[in-house]
Amino acid sequence: MTVRQLHQPLDRIGESNLQILEEALELVNTLEEPEAKARLLTEIALKFAGISQEERAQLLLADALIAANEIEADSLQVQAKTAIARAYFDLGQAETAADLLSDALATTNRLDDPGVKTSLLAEIALTYNAIAESDRSLEILSQSRDITLGNQSAESAALFPFEPTGWEGQLGLGASFFSGDKITSETSLNFALERQWPTDEVNFQISFTNDYDNSRVSPEKDNQIQAQIDTEYRHHATERYQYFISSLVRRDETDGIDIRTNLYTGPGINIWRAGPDRSFDMQLGVGIRYEDSNRRQDDLDVPVAQYRMRYKDVYFDFLTLRQFLTFELPFDDFEDYYIESSTTLGIPIVQGWSFNNNLILRYANNPSLDNPNLRVDFVTGIEYQF
């Protein structure tokens, strides 16, 4: 018999087949996972009780309870103790069953997640009803219903005007180094700052990268700078609708751009929001764009349309994901469009610190001289949130 077979329903094992039960028990005692061990010991105990070995069954339930107490997750521990309580009642130990349910109820009431809490309360209430304590069952069901209604009211409560926050930000550092037939290195510094008021919001970001390559030929410099400053102000008329003003200044010696700057303004809309740190927004603006590079000398485009998508979320409860997408289209030259995408995936290390990976894609339909249309940058490093 394998562990996988043992996880199948034990009711497939004939109650009269004592040898198989003993083999199953021997295998269960080798398990290290307390959740599986508690559940299987409880099922085997009921099988022994079914063949009139109640004393053996009670010993196995005691072992199941020991395993249940070793379960770290409170919600899983409650489920295990609830099942053991039901088994004790089937063995005629109503008082022991009630004590276990009381302990499980106390643990459940300490939980913070209202969804998990209501589910466990309902399960405990049904178990109380099964052990003939209907009054207690109705009381706990009422408690579960009140929590559900309260949680729904909290979720449906208007988030607007927003809860003001202090200044919050991130400071990141990334670097790469290569030594061979030539020596190259990149050192990146990123800084972001933001603040939320009841109806207004400000975001500020700056990134600086020093790109070193000793194989460059004069007049190119070994050290080339890439720097970008991005600021944005948003006024929220409602929770969903907003108005924005944004500006960007960029210098990229690697791309031959002395300066690239723009100014946009227009409406925005919130597609999805879950609290202050999780949102999906889109905005459409009109403005001006200026560039001085090795291809464009004092090039001013008016007007220029800009579409921007912004996504901020917490992924799988331990990964942070940020996605920004920008599309620019000048009205006087549709062929001169520009697309930029920035995707950041952060893995928390310790409080406030995370390991970050940032993928930046820039596509210019009319790139600077001697440069490809698509440029890909990948920066990995650490980030501190404050």
Side-chain angles (χ1 to χ4, degrees), residues 256 291-297 299 336 366-369:
E291 180 174 319
D292 188 7
S293 65
N294 60 13
R295 191 183 73 86
R296 299 180 179 89
Q297 299 294 322
D299 181 45
D336 194 15
N366 292 333
S368 302
L369 293 179

Side-chain angles (χ1 to χ4, degrees), residues 33-34 38-39 46 52 62 99 134 152 163-164 197 224-225 245 284 290 296 318 348 362 383:
E33 173 58 47
R39 184 179 70 254
L46 290 175
S52 301
D99 290 341
S134 56
Q152 291 175 348
E163 184 72 23
W197 288 272
Q224 295 186 352
I225 295 174
I245 301 174
L284 183 63
Y290 172 80
R296 299 180 179 89
F318 63 92
R362 295 186 176 98
E383 180 181 90

Side-chain angles (χ1 to χ4, degrees), residues 155-162 236-242 269-275 281:
E155 290 179 350
S156 62
L159 296 175
F160 186 82
F162 301 118
H236 298 269
T238 67
E239 178 186 349
R240 187 174 185 185
Y241 297 102
Q242 55 196 255
I269 184 172
N270 174 257
I271 305 300
W272 170 81
R273 187 187 305 277
D281 296 89

Side-chain angles (χ1 to χ4, degrees), residues 21-158:
L21 286 176
E22 293 289 357
E23 292 176 359
L25 180 59
E26 182 178 349
L27 185 56
V28 168
N29 287 328
T30 65
L31 298 179
E32 296 182 357
E33 173 58 47
E35 179 192 356
K37 189 172 184 178
R39 184 179 70 254
L40 293 171
L41 283 174
T42 302
E43 295 181 26
I44 294 174
L46 290 175
K47 283 294 182 180
F48 274 104
I51 55 177
S52 301
Q53 294 198 27
E54 295 183 357
E55 184 176 350
R56 182 74 178 279
Q58 290 186 23
L59 291 175
L60 291 177
L61 287 180
D63 292 339
L65 184 57
I66 293 174
N69 286 325
E70 295 176 355
I71 300 175
E72 294 183 359
D74 288 339
S75 59
L76 298 179
Q77 187 179 113
V78 167
Q79 290 177 330
K81 288 186 177 181
T82 302
I84 296 172
R86 177 65 182 270
Y88 267 115
F89 180 80
D90 292 342
L91 266 63
Q93 302 290 328
E95 185 176 347
T96 303
D99 290 341
L100 277 176
L101 286 179
S102 179
D103 182 47
L105 180 60
T107 302
T108 301
N109 286 327
R110 292 194 298 267
L111 297 178
D112 296 326
D113 190 325
V116 175
K117 191 173 183 178
T118 53
S119 176
L120 292 177
L121 285 174
E123 186 175 344
I124 293 173
L126 292 175
T127 306
Y128 267 113
N129 186 65
I131 67 174
E133 292 195 24
S134 56
D135 291 341
R136 186 64 171 145
S137 175
L138 291 174
E139 179 183 339
I140 297 173
L141 280 176
S142 177
Q143 180 186 351
S144 176
R145 183 174 59 252
D146 291 343
I147 294 175
T148 301
L149 294 175
N151 186 44
Q152 291 175 348
S153 298
E155 290 179 350
S156 62

Side-chain angles (χ1 to χ4, degrees), residues 63-325:
D63 292 339
L65 184 57
I66 293 174
N69 286 325
E70 295 176 355
I71 300 175
E72 294 183 359
D74 288 339
S75 59
L76 298 179
Q77 187 179 113
V78 167
Q79 290 177 330
K81 288 186 177 181
T82 302
I84 296 172
R86 177 65 182 270
Y88 267 115
F89 180 80
D90 292 342
L91 266 63
Q93 302 290 328
E95 185 176 347
T96 303
D99 290 341
L100 277 176
L101 286 179
S102 179
D103 182 47
L105 180 60
T107 302
T108 301
N109 286 327
R110 292 194 298 267
L111 297 178
D112 296 326
D113 190 325
V116 175
K117 191 173 183 178
T118 53
S119 176
L120 292 177
L121 285 174
E123 186 175 344
I124 293 173
L126 292 175
T127 306
Y128 267 113
N129 186 65
I131 67 174
E133 292 195 24
S134 56
D135 291 341
R136 186 64 171 145
S137 175
L138 291 174
E139 179 183 339
I140 297 173
L141 280 176
S142 177
Q143 180 186 351
S144 176
R145 183 174 59 252
D146 291 343
I147 294 175
T148 301
L149 294 175
N151 186 44
Q152 291 175 348
S153 298
E155 290 179 350
S156 62
L159 296 175
F160 186 82
F162 301 118
E163 184 72 23
T165 65
W167 289 104
E168 299 176 348
Q170 301 92 36
L171 179 63
L173 178 65
S176 64
F177 179 80
F178 169 80
S179 177
D181 56 347
K182 64 178 180 178
I183 298 176
T184 64
S185 69
E186 279 196 5
T187 304
S188 300
L189 179 66
N190 300 286
F191 176 74
L193 197 63
E194 61 183 29
R195 184 168 181 175
Q196 175 75 64
W197 288 272
T199 59
D200 301 284
E201 185 177 359
V202 172
N203 296 89
F204 172 82
Q205 297 182 29
I206 181 171
S207 62
F208 177 87
T209 300
N210 183 76
D211 188 321
Y212 175 79
D213 188 339
N214 69 347
S215 66
R216 292 189 177 112
V217 180
S218 181
E220 288 192 328
K221 297 178 294 184
D222 289 350
N223 288 287
Q224 295 186 352
I225 295 174
Q226 305 165 27
Q228 180 168 304
I229 300 175
D230 193 348
T231 60
E232 185 169 279
Y233 163 78
R234 290 188 293 276
H235 173 74
H236 298 269
T238 67
E239 178 186 349
R240 187 174 185 185
Y241 297 102
Q242 55 196 255
Y243 178 82
F244 79 93
I245 301 174
S246 68
S247 178
L248 178 144
V249 179
R250 178 182 166 206
R251 176 178 174 84
D252 195 329
E253 294 179 347
T254 306
D255 249 357
I257 298 175
D258 292 329
I259 187 169
R260 178 187 178 95
T261 183
N262 58 48
L263 177 66
Y264 295 103
T265 184
I269 184 172
N270 174 257
I271 305 300
W272 170 81
R273 187 187 305 277
D277 299 323
R278 306 175 64 188
S279 62
F280 176 40
D281 296 89
M282 292 190 300
Q283 56 196 43
L284 183 63
V286 177
I288 62 176
R289 185 179 69 183
Y290 172 80
E291 180 174 319
D292 188 7
S293 65
N294 60 13
R295 191 183 73 86
R296 299 180 179 89
Q297 299 294 322
D298 295 328
D299 181 45
L300 179 65
D301 294 315
V302 182
V304 181
Q306 184 204 58
Y307 166 80
R308 174 172 284 190
M309 181 269 288
R310 179 176 58 256
Y311 176 76
K312 297 167 59 181
D313 192 19
V314 178
Y315 194 57
F316 289 136
D317 292 332
F318 63 92
L319 298 179
T320 59
L321 177 67
R322 298 193 295 268
Q323 173 67 54
F324 296 88
L325 176 66

